[in-house]
Amino acid sequence: MNNITEAVEHKYQAQGHLEFQVFFNDRVSNDFNTLSINLPPNRKYFAAAVPGSFYGRLFPKASINFIFSSFAVQWLSKLPQVVCDLNSPSCNKGRILYANAPKEVGEAYSAQYAEDTEKFLGARAQELVSGGLMALLILGRVNGTLPAQSSLGPRFQPLESCLVDMTNEGLLSKDKLDSFNLPIYSPSSEELEKLIEKTGCFDTARVEEMHETIFHYSPCKNSEQAWRELSKHTLGVRFWMNCLIDMLRKLLDVLLSTPVVALELHYSSFKNASTDQNFLFLPSYITFIEG
């Protein structure tokens, strides 16, 4: 937040002292107490929390000057139903994500992403003031590639492999595995730009993509807790809780035995944009759109 407020102060320094009101949004189940505790004590802005889904309205009309979303809109509002339909050609059997899946699975995810993005842009268009700006930092994939070629795959491959092993060992039923898919999608920049143009609510001011080979993954003692949190919000609603520890142990075995692999990274020009050391950096890009 300091980078944003300092940039605005620099641009409008002739207007004298500026005051900033910052709203932090997350789902209603988020621990906003932890957010409050970790806010910088010397911050130059007033802070408030706004619980709710960003696929709907969060603020009054024309009340926000700048919106920044960081690694959030890859989460779909819901899972495409057809990927769990055993009678559908889009059924994603034996997988938890669309990476390396048949074309129909990727198309189902893409359609759901398009529907969600139109809702997201429509809501933000009403909330931004005329001439407002929105910056989206998004996990993406290379233009000209299919959804199945998403680089999200390597990040969740250990989890998928462990679930498949648990199914083969009889700890999980095959139906349980086939019914579970992660509601995540990474678009290409071209795909997102077409959706922005379709809604007609914004003009794309700039899209930045940077390509670099980098590896930044280091399993540590906190890995089990990280996977426990992931499972609490995703697996917990579908799978037996008494399988969780077995899964975590298998995950740690896989992660600790994984050789170093170079990953292609598309990252934002923001110098402080980073992820926790426990997770892989993934392709991403930043999009600036104007209301």
Side-chain angles (χ1 to χ4, degrees):
M1 284 308 308
N2 287 336
N3 288 344
I4 295 174
T5 56
E6 288 173 4
V8 174
E9 285 179 329
H10 178 74
K11 180 167 182 161
Y12 296 99
Q13 56 185 334
Q15 297 185 14
H17 176 68
L18 297 176
E19 291 190 328
F20 296 90
Q21 172 71 66
V22 177
F23 299 96
F24 293 90
N25 164 246
D26 207 329
R27 298 177 59 179
V28 295
S29 58
N30 182 58
D31 183 0
F32 287 100
N33 288 329
T34 299
L35 167 67
S36 300
I37 292 171
N38 286 282
L39 288 173
N42 59 342
R43 62 186 180 276
K44 298 179 180 180
Y45 54 85
F46 298 97
V50 180
S53 170
F54 49 60
Y55 288 120
R57 287 283 302 278
L58 295 167
F59 305 100
K61 289 185 178 180
S63 61
I64 304 295
N65 298 95
F66 178 73
I67 295 173
F68 177 60
S69 174
S70 177
F71 297 114
V73 293
Q74 75 272 10
W75 290 101
L76 302 176
S77 65
K78 62 181 180 180
L79 190 69
Q81 293 300 311
V82 291
V83 301
C84 297
D85 183 355
L86 297 177
N87 297 318
S88 170
S90 300
C91 182
N92 198 25
K93 294 182 180 179
R95 286 177 292 269
I96 66 172
L97 197 60
Y98 55 88
N100 301 315
K103 179 181 68 174
E104 292 81 2
V105 177
E107 290 174 346
Y109 270 87
S110 181
Q112 183 62 53
Y113 179 78
E115 178 183 327
D116 287 345
T117 300
E118 289 182 20
K119 292 179 180 178
F120 175 83
L121 295 175
R124 303 294 82 76
Q126 295 185 62
E127 297 164 351
L128 273 174
V129 300
S130 178
L133 182 68
M134 177 162 64
L136 307 177
L137 185 58
I138 300 174
L139 295 172
R141 69 175 194 276
V142 179
N143 287 330
T145 60
L146 296 173
Q149 297 171 282
S150 168
S151 294
L152 283 173
R155 179 173 187 173
F156 293 102
Q157 183 59 45
L159 176 60
E160 181 178 286
S161 297
C162 290
L163 292 174
V164 171
D165 288 345
M166 292 175 70
T167 301
N168 293 335
E169 294 173 12
L171 296 174
L172 294 175
S173 70
K174 188 175 183 299
D175 289 343
K176 290 286 187 182
L177 176 61
D178 291 340
S179 67
F180 175 72
N181 286 267
L182 292 170
I184 305 174
Y185 184 78
S186 57
S188 65
S189 58
E190 289 180 346
E191 187 176 3
L192 179 60
E193 287 183 83
K194 288 179 180 179
L195 291 173
I196 294 172
E197 183 179 355
K198 180 181 178 181
T199 61
C201 301
F202 296 92
D203 294 321
T204 303
R206 188 167 79 249
V207 176
E208 295 184 8
E209 296 184 44
M210 298 183 68
H211 303 257
E212 182 174 321
T213 299
I214 189 170
F215 181 85
H216 197 281
Y217 178 79
S218 178
C220 65
K221 63 182 180 180
N222 293 324
S223 295
E224 182 168 346
Q225 178 63 28
W227 283 111
R228 187 184 299 275
E229 288 300 312
L230 171 65
S231 301
K232 180 175 68 175
H233 294 295
T234 55
L235 296 177
V237 298
R238 289 185 178 270
F239 293 139
W240 305 307
M241 290 302 294
N242 61 353
C243 291
L244 181 58
I245 298 302
D246 286 336
M247 183 187 69
L248 289 170
R249 288 171 178 166
K250 289 178 178 294
L251 277 171
L252 289 173
D253 288 341
V254 172
L255 292 173
L256 293 173
S257 63
T258 299
V260 173
V261 179
L263 298 177
E264 185 180 61
L265 171 67
H266 306 225
Y267 60 94
S268 160
S269 60
F270 283 93
K271 299 302 183 182
N272 66 335
S274 62
T275 61
D276 189 278
Q277 196 175 20
N278 294 329
F279 299 97
L280 301 176
F281 278 102
L282 292 175
S284 60
Y285 51 83
I286 186 163
T287 302
F288 294 88
I289 53 182
E290 300 176 316

